[in-house]
């Protein structure tokens, strides 16, 4: 049976790997999984193929006897919110997040607004393989539309006091659905907002969707040119956020997570931070200062939610700028991350660069090496043998722990590559560790 789900739902090249027929089958499988009844929320991003797939998933779900509540174009956190708000039995988001415009994807959500756990994704795969159950014509589901965005915005505003300072913020949502929420919210909270790449365009002409430094040069430049206090960028479905300081320096995702955690968890008794093996040691520093602890999982949204369900937690996050606020939504929440970061900044009354300096510095180097999927597990075994003299963490790939830093080598769940992360207290040491990792990785392949 083919594995359909990667680290974040099903992804593929539109009309080649992911066709309307596949998406119909996924909808029918979900309906079958739900017992051929119930209400399913459907949201989509603004890719050129997303409306087509919205129709396909709706056809599959209704053919399987589920009613469908369409939210239209929404950021992923709004789909998660809306699934719970409208008491749906499940949710479906049509998005390929940060992938290029020729990709799309399907991601399933539980009634509580959390992404499906791996186990349920496996159940869906099995139903797709054997074929879902279509219902009798009298039981075909109904299709209705609802607005999830307005109640979402109201709910965010209800829990966020207006900022005391008038911050000047440049927002870059990459011509994608983040534009529907973040600029408006920040304006309502008292910011002066300058938007770039703010028209919705499914070809994403402004920049690549992944909020990584090489794609944020215009944002950084605009912040400096406009003498703004900061810049905020989302990925294609606004479940991730990256911040640029007033000098145009781009903060890493785990740094943003750490600063937000420091603010959000202040006053909490023994807070528990849930994160992955790929995030900075700065999270350990935050936990130490707050008298709490850090639980580290495999990489991926379902892992963080899984750990939260097992052992509880107050905040969760990944190194890519996706933060979970468990008292708000069980979804990676880029929009709330932006709001909470602004809140932390407003409370401090300092510049972003000063706020950033309130935590100890770390340097990270991230690299990637191509490797065919079928070789990945063999390569990993070779690497473990090569590093066996060091302290190893095998939670995900292999994390080699040195006295003055760490090195993580792990196979990507979505692409034929290995990712190699290194972190240390100095840049040169981080480079050295990353180069060691790349050398060993290449020779193992
Ligand atoms: Mg995303």
């Amino acid at each position: 049976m083919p594995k359909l789900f990667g680290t974040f739902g099903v992804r593929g090249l539109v009309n080649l790997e992911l066709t309307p027929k596949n998406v119909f089958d996924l909808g029918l499988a979900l309906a079958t999984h739900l017992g051929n009844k119930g209400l399913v929320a459907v949201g989509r991003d603004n890719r050129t193929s997303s409306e087509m797939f919205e129709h396909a998933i709706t056809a599959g779900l209704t053919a399987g006897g589920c009613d469908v509540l369409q939210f239209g174009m929404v950021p992923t956190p709004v789909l998660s919110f809306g699934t719970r708000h409208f008491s749906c039995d499940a949710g479906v988001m049509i998005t390929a997040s940060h992938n290029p415009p020729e990709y799309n994807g399907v991601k399933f959500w539980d009634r509580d607004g959390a992404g499906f756990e791996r186990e349920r994704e496996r159940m869906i795969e099995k139903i797709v393989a054997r074929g879902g159950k279509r219902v009798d014509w009298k039981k075909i589901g109904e299709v209705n539309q609802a607005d999830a965005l307005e109640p979402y915005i109201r709910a965010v505003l209800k829990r966020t006091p207006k900022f005391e300072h008038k911050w000047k913020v440049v927002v870059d949502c990459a011509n994608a659905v983040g534009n529907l929420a973040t600029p408006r919210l920040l304006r309502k909270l008292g910011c002066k907002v300058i938007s770039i790449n703010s028209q919705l365009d499914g070809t994403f002409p402004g920049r690549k969707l992944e909020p990584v430094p090489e794609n944020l040069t215009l944002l950084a430049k605009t912040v400096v040119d406009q003498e703004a206090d900061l810049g905020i960028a989302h990925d294609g479905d606004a479940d991730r956020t990256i911040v640029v300081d007033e000098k145009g320096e781009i903060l890493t995702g785990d740094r943003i997570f750490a600063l937000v955690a420091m603010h959000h968890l202040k006053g909490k008794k023994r807070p528990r931070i849930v994160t992955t093996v790929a995030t900075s040691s700065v999270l350990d520093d935050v936990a130490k200062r707050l008298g709490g602890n850090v639980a580290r999982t495999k990489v991926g949204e379902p892992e963080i939610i899984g750990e939260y369900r097992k052992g509880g937690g107050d905040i969760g996050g990944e190194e890519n700028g996706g933060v979970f606020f468990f008292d708000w939504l069980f979804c990676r929440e880029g929009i709330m991350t932006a709001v909470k970061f602004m809140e932390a900044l407003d409370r401090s009354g300092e510049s972003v660069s000063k706020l950033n300096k309130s935590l100890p510095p770390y340097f990270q180097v991230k690299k990637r090496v191509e490797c065919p999927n079928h070789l990945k597990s063999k390569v990993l075994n070779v690497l473990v043998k090569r590093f066996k003299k060091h302290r190893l963490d095998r939670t995900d790939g292999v994390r080699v722990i040195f006295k003055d830093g760490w090195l993580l080598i792990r196979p990507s769940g979505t692409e034929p590559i290995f990712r190699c992360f290194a972190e240390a207290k100095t840049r040169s040491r981080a480079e050295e560790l990353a180069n060691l990792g790349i050398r060993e990785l290449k020779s193992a392949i």
Side-chain angles (χ1 to χ4, degrees), residues 14-40:
V14 171
N15 276 352
L16 295 169
E17 296 162 353
L18 189 69
T19 66
K21 165 82 168 68
N22 302 143
V23 174
F24 173 89
D25 289 343
L26 282 163
L28 187 63
L30 177 60
T32 308
H33 173 71
L34 294 173
N36 298 98
K37 60 180 191 308
L39 177 64
V40 179

Side-chain angles (χ1 to χ4, degrees), residues 340-406:
K340 283 283 169 194
F341 188 90
M342 291 301 309
E343 217 178 84
L345 185 67
D346 195 56
R347 219 41 80 72
S348 79
E350 311 251 35
S351 63
V352 174
S353 61
K354 270 214 172 138
L355 179 68
N356 191 18
K357 280 193 190 125
S358 65
L359 291 174
Y362 286 93
F363 295 88
Q364 294 175 339
V365 178
K366 298 185 181 187
K367 297 197 171 177
R368 46 162 72 191
V369 171
E370 282 178 26
C371 173
N373 286 331
H374 70 277
L375 287 181
K376 281 175 176 173
S377 62
K378 274 186 198 159
V379 169
L380 206 51
N381 287 337
V382 173
L383 285 171
V384 168
K385 274 185 202 138
R386 291 201 183 169
F387 284 114
K388 69 171 183 246
K389 277 188 211 143
H390 300 273
R391 221 175 101 210
L392 300 182
D393 178 344
R394 294 298 320 276
T395 305
D396 194 352
V398 57
R399 197 182 205 233
V400 192
I401 299 151
F402 300 86
K403 247 188 228 147
D404 53 353
W406 53 267

Side-chain angles (χ1 to χ4, degrees), residues 8 11 76 95-98 211 235-240 301 332:
F8 194 91
R11 293 269 171 90
T76 290
T95 182
S97 185
H98 63 272
D235 69 328
D237 62 335
D239 64 350
R240 289 165 58 184
E301 174 166 344
R332 230 166 31 183

Side-chain angles (χ1 to χ4, degrees), residues 1 17 44 55 86 88 92 109 120 203 243 250 267 272 336 359 396 423 426:
M1 188 179 62
E17 296 162 353
R44 64 174 171 94
H55 291 308
F86 291 99
C88 300
V92 181
W109 299 83
R120 286 185 79 187
T203 65
V243 172
I250 295 160
R272 186 170 195 252
M336 187 54 94
L359 291 174
D396 194 352
E423 183 182 78
T426 65

Side-chain angles (χ1 to χ4, degrees), residues 71 95 143 167 191 193 212 217 237 318 340 342 351 397 414 423:
F71 297 154
T95 182
V143 184
W167 301 100
C191 297
V193 176
V212 288
T217 47
D237 62 335
E318 297 174 271
K340 283 283 169 194
M342 291 301 309
S351 63
T414 48
E423 183 182 78

Side-chain angles (χ1 to χ4, degrees), residues 67 393 443:
D67 293 328
D393 178 344
S443 98

